[in-house]
Amino acid sequence: MIEVSNKCIGCTKCVPVCPFAAINMIDKKATMNEACTLCGVCVQICPVKAITITREEASARDFSGFKGVWVYVELAETGDKTHPKKIKPVTFELLSEGRKLADELKEDLCAVLLTDKNHNYEKELGAYGADKVYMVEHDELFEYNTDIFSTVIVSLVNRHKPSAMLYGASIQGRDLAPRVASTLYVGLTADCTALAVKDGLLLQSRPAFGGNIMADILSPNSRPQLATVRPNVMKLAEPQLGRAAVVVREAAKLDKSLRRVKVLERKITRDSGAARIESAGVIVSGGRGMKTKDKFKQLEELSGLLGGVVGASRAAVDLGFKEKTHQVGQSGATVSPKLYLSFGISGAVQHIVGMKASDVIIAVNKDPNAPIFNVAKYGIVGDAHEIVPKLIEALKK
Ligand code: FAD
Ligand code: SF4
Ligand code: SF4
């Protein structure tokens, strides 16, 4: 329920920001009509805090009307004028996982696409399992903006009532999902590493207490159930080319004043390591056992010979051996290369969680009891400083 108290001074500031034209000024007081979706935008804008939204007690609510697993579609800039944006791989990973969840729940899998221009995105989204694409096409969606994007998503959620919604745990997803969750007043499980269905609910698993235990989280008292999932954690399904998704065009009235953060200048700098490590086929990683920055540099040569990218443990990053953007693990990148070579890394659980999905792991450590050997397919108990130069020499030959 939404109410305007007699604190209202009739300033009309709330009228243009309402995305649903739900506010009329009657007798110099804001009055909400039935188009209101309780999105909460006017509450934030009111200078005298005259507007309040009261939500029903969650445990008393009937959630049978909430249906559908939704996936937020994240777009990345390409630099190409004809196709300036493409769908980020994490979206396809979420659709692949979402398909399994939706099938088990016997609900639709829906992609949520916010863009200034559609480039037939529905073809790819359908191929990865989406039944429907809720698409909002609007000039104000030309670039990601927390206020604008969260407002649109909240309104879509209020209109269509999905049971669950998944976001990539990317910079954008980590910004957007909490804003949507707080506006809807629902829970959010961040950085999930596994999802399943339990008693009709979304079972969200994620590392907790510094990665030492896995926590299973259920949200029985709120809808939608919101989760972010890290890139490279969920396996990609085979795309079914030609499988189409139904496009549902949604209207949104977006006022510029919603945009509280204005981008004055854009400078795109590319850290090739950061961009490439998550999609690299070969990663040569080093840890504290590499001892010095100079010795760590040998890994660059080795990775160059293998056509790979250098990764690092957090200890190696903290010691300044490599930039943070190359860190693999819980607080770094999650990777799944075909080959992961590890030198002088102990295998702390926070590191393992970021690389255990690699196809083949080869670990070199001088301690035979190092936990890295528990996940390695091939283990070499030995001195990295002897083995790395030998490998370089052999590869050069
Ligand atoms: P160490 O644990 O010190 O291991 C060095 C290893 O090198 C040892 O096993 C040793 O036997 C071996 N060694 C030494 N000399 C040689 C040699 N000459 N040849 C071969 N082997 C040798 N860590 C991450 O990596 N990524 C993360 O994202 C991350 N996130 C974290 C988040 C949180 C909340 C916390 C609490 C911790 C996190 N950590 C992370 C840190 C993690 O717990 C470990 O401290 C870290 O991974 C250890 O790095 P390391 O294996 O390089 O160093
Ligand atoms: Fe409009 Fe949202 Fe305010 Fe309702 S809560 S009146 S939809 S801005
Ligand atoms: Fe009234 Fe607040 Fe709306 Fe201004 S912004 S008209 S004070 S409810």
Side-chain angles (χ1 to χ4, degrees):
M1 190 173 67
I2 185 159
E3 282 177 306
V4 182
S5 75
N6 51 18
K7 282 198 262 176
C8 173
I9 52 170
C11 71
T12 72
K13 281 190 178 160
C14 55
V15 178
V17 299
C18 173
F20 308 100
I23 309 178
N24 308 108
M25 294 304 294
I26 300 176
D27 295 335
K28 294 192 178 156
K29 189 182 168 192
T31 310
M32 281 59 178
N33 62 41
E34 64 289 345
C36 173
T37 63
L38 300 183
C39 74
V41 169
C42 57
V43 178
Q44 294 168 37
I45 214 95
C46 176
V48 292
K49 308 237 175 309
I51 310 171
T52 47
I53 292 178
T54 324
R55 295 177 196 276
E56 280 172 66
E57 204 41 58
S59 54
R61 288 179 64 191
D62 170 16
F63 293 126
S64 57
F66 286 77
K67 293 248 180 297
V69 176
W70 284 18
V71 169
Y72 171 68
V73 178
E74 194 169 329
L75 298 174
E77 296 193 13
T78 59
D80 170 359
K81 283 197 177 137
T82 45
H83 282 287
K85 288 183 195 135
K86 64 172 187 188
I87 301 171
K88 277 197 168 179
V90 67
T91 304
F92 300 129
E93 292 163 20
L94 293 180
L95 286 172
S96 305
E97 188 65 18
R99 183 68 267 164
K100 293 184 227 159
L101 300 170
D103 286 344
E104 198 164 342
L105 289 163
K106 300 191 174 46
E107 295 177 6
D108 279 345
L109 176 66
C110 309
V112 179
L113 173 65
L114 276 50
T115 180
D116 56 341
K117 186 150 181 45
N118 183 26
H119 288 277
N120 291 326
Y121 295 121
E122 65 275 12
K123 286 192 180 160
E124 281 179 284
L125 297 169
Y128 280 96
D131 299 308
K132 273 187 205 162
V133 180
Y134 286 112
M135 184 173 68
V136 182
E137 222 179 346
H138 194 291
D139 289 348
E140 280 299 313
L141 301 170
F142 67 98
E143 67 176 5
Y144 174 71
N145 173 281
T146 318
D147 294 314
I148 304 252
F149 275 55
S150 61
T151 300
V152 175
I153 290 182
V154 168
S155 70
L156 292 176
V157 166
N158 281 327
R159 218 175 284 163
H160 297 285
K161 301 190 175 9
S163 62
M165 185 161 188
L166 312 178
Y167 299 79
S170 54
I171 293 172
Q172 200 179 108
R174 283 175 173 169
D175 181 69
L176 180 60
R179 172 55 72 98
V180 171
S182 69
T183 310
L184 292 168
Y185 207 62
V186 300
L188 164 70
T189 308
D191 279 4
C192 292
T193 52
L195 296 170
V197 173
K198 189 178 181 214
D199 304 330
L201 295 169
L202 184 67
L203 179 71
Q204 304 149 87
S205 304
R206 55 151 298 155
F209 295 107
N212 293 318
I213 61 161
M214 288 298 286
D216 286 343
I217 295 159
L218 295 169
S219 306
N221 295 329
S222 63
R223 292 292 183 283
Q225 303 153 89
L226 301 185
T228 65
V229 180
R230 305 189 79 184
N232 282 321
V233 168
M234 301 301 178
K235 285 274 175 214
L236 261 189
E238 259 324 296
Q240 292 176 39
L241 301 175
R243 185 188 180 281
V246 176
V247 177
V248 182
R249 283 185 176 269
E250 294 281 334
K253 175 181 157 276
L254 292 171
D255 190 87
K256 278 193 170 54
S257 58
L258 272 178
R259 190 181 288 277
R260 287 182 297 173
V261 174
K262 293 197 172 56
V263 179
L264 302 178
E265 191 187 2
R266 305 184 79 211
K267 276 189 185 165
I268 300 177
T269 49
R270 300 204 187 278
D271 176 341
S272 54
R276 283 166 54 220
I277 195 158
E278 290 188 347
S279 55
V282 176
I283 295 176
V284 178
S285 249
R288 198 199 308 267
M290 291 310 294
K291 298 281 188 326
T292 64
K293 195 170 178 174
D294 268 355
K295 288 189 173 153
F296 196 94
K297 277 203 182 118
Q298 293 181 331
L299 301 182
E300 307 272 359
E301 194 177 358
L302 180 57
S303 104
L305 288 164
L306 291 167
V309 176
V310 171
S313 72
R314 179 152 132 187
V317 169
D318 290 347
L319 287 163
F321 297 173
K322 197 71 197 156
E323 299 83 16
K324 166 87 180 154
T325 45
H326 290 252
Q327 183 182 314
V328 173
Q330 187 183 321
S331 47
T334 307
V335 298
S336 55
K338 289 199 177 345
L339 177 64
Y340 189 91
L341 282 153
S342 133
F343 295 93
I345 295 178
S346 57
V349 66
Q350 296 88 356
H351 186 81
I352 303 285
V353 83
M355 46 66 87
K356 66 177 180 203
S358 310
D359 288 351
V360 175
I361 298 169
I362 304 178
V364 177
N365 196 303
K366 62 180 190 185
D367 173 5
N369 298 316
I372 191 87
F373 291 131
N374 297 336
V375 292
K377 182 151 189 180
Y378 303 101
I380 303 170
V381 179
D383 186 342
H385 306 298
E386 287 172 16
I387 294 165
V388 174
K390 281 186 184 160
L391 276 174
I392 291 173
E393 209 183 299
L395 283 165
K396 276 185 178 165
K397 276 186 197 158

